[in-house]
Amino acid sequence: VQLQASGGGLVQAGGSLRLSCAASGSIGSSNVMGWYRQAPGKQRELVASISTGGTTNYADSVKGRFTISRDNAKNTVYLQMDSLKPEDTAVYYCNAKRIGIVIRDYWGQGTLVTVSS
């Protein structure tokens, strides 16, 4: 399984960006896809996730500003980021968890999001 992320870049505070991540290969019929981020000097943290059935989970810091969605037919997850703040600056990583007897994690390459003030 490979996860290909795209959509990062430089944006001014208050602006928007949309991240996409497509999974190639089988991630199973029951899975959770999501986005994590890691800022310099900080630990990687969950930003948002969405299950196959559409259940979403957001970090408190992004609630009301970010929206996660997915296209199950394309095994693709999106992260719409609005009202971006300088503290959102980080490398964003796509993640897919295949749910089974054992949970299997897959990671995409990071995509840099830089929000200038």
Side-chain angles (χ1 to χ4, degrees), residues 36-57:
Y36 288 71
R37 67 186 181 188
Q38 187 167 19
K42 294 188 177 181
Q43 289 189 329
R44 190 174 296 189
E45 63 175 359
L46 174 68
V47 177
S49 65
I50 183 168
S51 69
T52 317
T55 300
T56 58
N57 182 38

Side-chain angles (χ1 to χ4, degrees), residues 31-106:
N31 60 74
V32 177
M33 297 187 77
W35 294 92
Y36 288 71
R37 67 186 181 188
Q38 187 167 19
K42 294 188 177 181
Q43 289 189 329
R44 190 174 296 189
E45 63 175 359
L46 174 68
V47 177
S49 65
I50 183 168
S51 69
T52 317
T55 300
T56 58
N57 182 38
Y58 293 94
D60 288 342
S61 60
V62 307
K63 283 180 180 176
R65 301 187 298 120
F66 291 10
T67 303
I68 191 168
S69 61
R70 64 184 292 166
D71 183 333
N72 288 334
K74 297 181 179 179
N75 269 352
T76 300
V77 63
Y78 307 95
L79 185 68
Q80 178 65 41
M81 304 185 292
D82 298 319
S83 302
L84 282 160
K85 303 175 180 180
E87 50 263 45
D88 294 317
T89 295
V91 177
Y92 284 70
Y93 296 90
C94 176
N95 172 266
K97 298 184 188 299
R98 184 164 65 187
I99 309 300
I101 296 174
V102 177
I103 295 176
R104 181 83 180 266
D105 261 307
Y106 302 96

